[in-house]
Amino acid sequence: MASFAIEDFVGNGCLQGLVSMLLEEGWDDVPTLKIMNVDDMNELNMTQRQKDALEIRSYLHDRALMQYADKFEESGNSLTKLLNLSTVDLTSKFGMKRGHVARFTDRTAASGGDSLSETYNLHMRRRTTSRNESLYRKDISPVTSRKQSMTRSLRRTKTDISLEQSMAELEIKGGHVFKGIVASMPDEPRACGCVQPTPVVETVAPYSSIENISVQKLTPEYKIGMERLVKTKTATMKASKLWRDKPAVFVCIRRPGCIMCRAEAHQLYARKPIFDALGVQLFAVLHEQIESEVTDFWPRYWGGVVLFDRNMGFYKALGGGNLLKDKFISGFLLNPRAISNYRRAKAMGVDQNFRGEGETKGGLFIVGKGKSGIAYQFIERNFGDWAPLAEVIEICRRLQNPQESQLESITSIQQED
């Protein structure tokens, strides 16, 4: 699984000398760096070799093949030339395994269960310059100077494939009421029906259940040159301060060493530029504080803020006031859907360990700013269930324009009647 640490991303090649400049210009995390277009590269006076290196590393990062980045860069070939090499050349010249060759030459999908479209993953980095007339342009409202700079860059270059179009391609079509949704995956019969399905709540958690949760920041949002872990412990704070001014997504991690939890966190944080453009914050929540587990998890699998929920307030809210738990045998070994989720994460090349408590199930919250409440909560009914990315991004988009969301919801209900 490709790391979100900038040092790991740039490797030992020609991009190393640009790190301080990238930080100064606001290209300070991997997801943002990967959407840099050709005009941005020219403004930084990047050489052709550096441009090729960034394109190669971005492509490999999408496919969890960063172990070949230094060799590919040293070859002096562009990404186009590398993709046109035969399997024999890739294995003999670069030591690429045959299974990795198949993943490298597949231009249609990035590594991960909920990948963005081919358009976002590939054409985004072709840096064309025709005008994009996305319907979502009016919804983009960056809220920090770095995000404003990035958006101005996108508008200035008139990039054909933009963040707005990526969001449009992930749009959910009709039939959803986007205020107060509870979602979960179905629970398949286990052991020929001898094991009962996991019960889940049917109503969204009340705002009061999360308003007074106390959390502690274990890590900041990762930036270039930052310490891998905050050495000074921060004081506890009310979670409500985090969404006072901006909406927020909270992904509640069952166990940071779990292969499925790591894969979920990685595929969500990889879309950080979209959430940035929507003005939505990203937080990962843990219910255990094991320092070695936090250092393994951040920033490799998650580059955002990590919170410690000592009293498991978010986890209890997911279960309607009670923790949702399952045993390893009944919840995993006898659960076909959980096994399928494990195989999906395994295919992404994620490492794992078995440290910490892993029976308390997690999920995801989308909380509106201020006291507007919970817009969406997803429950990890089966071990390794992920909230559908398209649904998460669409709901975050609609939080920007509540009046539009209410109108569409009313229209949807009227059509059903």
Side-chain angles (χ1 to χ4, degrees), residues 72 80-98 101-102 104-105 107:
F72 279 3
T80 301
K81 290 182 179 179
L82 291 168
L83 287 170
N84 288 328
L85 292 177
S86 66
T87 299
V88 174
D89 286 337
L90 289 170
T91 54
S92 61
K93 294 180 180 180
F94 303 104
M96 184 174 274
K97 298 178 181 179
R98 294 188 70 88
V101 170
F104 175 69
T105 55
R107 311 186 191 195

Side-chain angles (χ1 to χ4, degrees), residues 59-265:
Y59 185 87
L60 294 176
H61 193 275
D62 285 339
R63 286 155 179 75
L65 295 172
M66 288 297 288
Q67 63 267 42
Y68 302 107
D70 286 341
K71 289 183 179 180
F72 279 3
E73 186 179 331
E74 290 172 3
S75 73
N77 292 322
S78 66
L79 177 61
T80 301
K81 290 182 179 179
L82 291 168
L83 287 170
N84 288 328
L85 292 177
S86 66
T87 299
V88 174
D89 286 337
L90 289 170
T91 54
S92 61
K93 294 180 180 180
F94 303 104
M96 184 174 274
K97 298 178 181 179
R98 294 188 70 88
H100 291 171
V101 170
R103 193 192 307 170
F104 175 69
T105 55
D106 180 7
R107 311 186 191 195
T108 61
S111 176
D114 280 320
S115 60
L116 291 181
S117 66
E118 176 187 2
T119 302
Y120 178 82
N121 288 315
L122 293 177
H123 298 238
M124 184 78 168
R125 288 188 287 277
R126 290 183 184 173
R127 317 322 197 221
T128 57
T129 57
S130 61
R131 181 175 178 80
N132 171 37
E133 299 295 344
S134 170
L135 295 176
Y136 291 90
R137 186 178 301 281
K138 63 179 182 302
D139 288 335
I140 303 304
S141 179
V143 294
T144 67
S145 57
R146 183 177 70 80
K147 312 304 183 301
Q148 289 169 348
S149 175
M150 183 181 74
T151 304
R152 282 197 302 270
S153 173
L154 287 170
R155 184 169 58 247
R156 180 181 64 253
T157 56
K158 298 180 181 179
T159 308
D160 180 53
I161 306 302
S162 64
L163 289 174
E164 298 96 306
Q165 185 168 338
S166 298
M167 287 185 284
E169 289 162 352
L170 281 165
E171 181 186 6
I172 297 172
K173 306 297 184 183
H176 284 69
V177 179
F178 289 93
K179 183 63 178 177
I181 297 176
V182 177
S184 64
M185 296 297 182
D187 196 350
E188 297 178 0
R190 310 180 196 176
C192 300
C194 296
V195 179
Q196 295 300 312
T198 304
V200 294
V201 297
E202 299 294 336
T203 57
V204 70
Y207 178 71
S208 59
S209 67
I210 64 169
E211 182 179 16
N212 296 312
I213 292 175
S214 294
V215 295
Q216 180 183 11
K217 284 188 178 182
L218 299 182
T219 74
E221 186 176 355
Y222 175 78
K223 304 295 180 186
I224 296 174
M226 183 173 288
E227 287 285 338
R228 289 301 180 97
L229 186 66
V230 177
K231 300 301 180 183
T232 304
K233 290 187 177 181
T234 61
T236 57
M237 60 182 293
K238 276 191 176 182
S240 56
K241 291 184 179 180
L242 299 173
W243 60 77
R244 180 172 54 194
D245 301 316
K246 295 168 55 178
V249 172
F250 294 86
V251 53
C252 300
I253 303 296
R254 181 164 43 83
R255 189 172 61 81
C258 165
I259 186 172
M260 296 174 284
C261 299
R262 288 178 168 183
E264 177 188 16

